Amino acid sequence: MPLSAFVTVSAVLFGMGLYGALRRTNAITILMCIELMLNAVNINMIAFSRHLSPDPVRGQAFAVFIMTLAAAEVSVGLAIMLAIARRRRAVDVNEVNTLKG
Amino acid sequence: MNVNWQMVAFAFLTGVTLYSAFRVVTTPNVTHAALYLAVAFVGIAGYYLLLGAEFLAAVQVLVYAGAVMTVMVFAIMLSGMSDIRGQRLSLFKQLTSPYWGIFPFLIAAALVGTILAAYSRSPLPAGDGRTASLADLGKALLSTYLVPFEVASVLLLAAMVGAIILSRREGEN
């Protein structure tokens, strides 16, 4: 498979995730869209490391670190969201405006 | 009969992954979004297999389709959302809604358009398709990337402690 096929899919996937993260107001769905974007980046990392990098390990190592970060991010994000949901019975980010000036 | 099976697999994966991702972004029901996201993760694991990264494909299924999805479904159930079904809005109404309206779509479309235009203007070199074995990856993680590896483990510990503290009910010891 040519490299351009993978990077095209990855770009479209990232665009979808970006649209969702900006458009949706449910905090859980926003986290899901961020996960989609991180996965698109991972596809890019692995595709480029397979085709262009002088050292094919490099992209895979970075993908491992991105996965670690994504797991940490999702656990803390969902914990924050649960704490908010316990107080307000809602996870709509428009209603969480206590810190708004 | 000369069928390029890699091409067939790629087309199938692309259809499944992009459709699931589209549903994650557009479906009003949060539970459906979570299940479609699991499908998208498995599709992305298929891409990793096509790219010769078998270990990452396995990790993708274990960590994303397994652990992350479980946590998300638990969070959806525990949050006791009143509107788990959400409101169904047509695509036209979404694009013309007073909340940001068409701007998210424009931003995303501009980004994707710029990337694709850049790729089509300067075609990517074909490359030679080298692949790294699991042994190579393990050696690299414990030699070249030792410090980031240890930092990542500390980060996971911090995230775990933070998640426990944040999701604890108040008034408990």
Side-chain angles (χ1 to χ4, degrees), chain A residues 19 23, chain B residues 88-106:
Chain A
Y19 170 76
R23 181 66 189 79
Chain B
R88 187 168 291 282
L89 279 179
S90 71
L91 204 58
F92 176 75
K93 270 191 183 160
Q94 282 192 18
L95 289 182
T96 55
S97 81
Y99 175 70
W100 277 58
I102 202 167
F103 275 106
F105 179 77
L106 283 186

Side-chain angles (χ1 to χ4, degrees), chain B:
Chain B
M1 193 68 180
N2 187 10
V3 182
N4 187 343
W5 287 109
Q6 269 203 335
M7 204 73 99
V8 175
F10 183 85
F12 175 73
L13 285 176
T14 305
V16 170
T17 309
L18 290 188
Y19 176 73
S20 317
F22 178 75
R23 294 291 304 202
V24 171
V25 173
T26 54
T27 183
N29 188 321
V30 188
T31 321
H32 289 182
L35 297 179
Y36 276 113
L37 188 65
V39 178
F41 283 159
V42 174
I44 290 167
Y47 283 130
Y48 294 170
L49 278 183
L50 276 182
L51 283 165
E54 294 88 4
F55 173 67
L56 282 173
V59 170
Q60 169 88 7
V61 172
L62 282 177
V63 172
Y64 277 113
V68 169
M69 288 324 299
T70 312
V71 172
M72 281 197 167
V73 171
F74 264 104
I76 291 170
M77 290 191 294
L78 287 175
S79 65
M81 260 180 273
S82 49
D83 57 339
I84 207 160
R85 284 179 189 281
Q87 300 147 319
R88 187 168 291 282
L89 279 179
S90 71
L91 204 58
F92 176 75
K93 270 191 183 160
Q94 282 192 18
L95 289 182
T96 55
S97 81
Y99 175 70
W100 277 58
I102 202 167
F103 275 106
F105 179 77
L106 283 186
I107 292 171
L111 178 83
V112 175
T114 314
I115 293 172
L116 294 186
Y119 284 150
S120 64
R121 182 161 296 184
S122 59
L124 294 159
D128 44 8
R130 276 159 307 183
T131 179
S133 71
L134 178 53
D136 294 339
L137 182 61
K139 272 179 201 151
L141 279 180
L142 288 178
S143 57
T144 319
Y145 303 103
L146 181 60
V147 175
F149 185 79
E150 296 297 336
V151 171
S153 62
V154 174
L155 174 85
L156 278 181
L157 177 68
M160 189 177 75
V161 175
I164 292 172
I165 289 178
L166 280 170
S167 58
R168 192 183 50 175
R169 280 177 205 283
E170 271 175 35
E172 278 178 23
N173 289 323

Side-chain angles (χ1 to χ4, degrees), chain A residues 5-82:
Chain A
F6 286 102
V7 292
T8 306
V9 168
S10 157
V12 174
L13 209 56
F14 191 93
M16 279 185 185
L18 180 62
Y19 170 76
L22 292 175
R23 181 66 189 79
R24 305 299 298 258
T25 56
N26 186 310
I28 300 185
T29 321
I30 292 177
L31 274 177
M32 290 182 197
C33 293
I34 293 172
E35 294 297 312
L36 270 186
M37 290 159 77
L38 288 167
N39 270 282
V41 172
N42 263 349
I43 295 180
N44 248 1
M45 288 277 180
I46 297 173
F48 277 120
S49 85
R50 177 167 170 79
H51 286 282
L52 294 183
S53 165
D55 175 15
V57 168
R58 196 172 295 160
Q60 295 199 16
F62 271 90
V64 169
F65 290 130
I66 293 178
M67 281 181 181
T68 317
L69 280 178
E73 169 244 324
V74 98
S75 63
V76 175
L78 287 175
I80 292 174
M81 201 217 63
L82 273 184

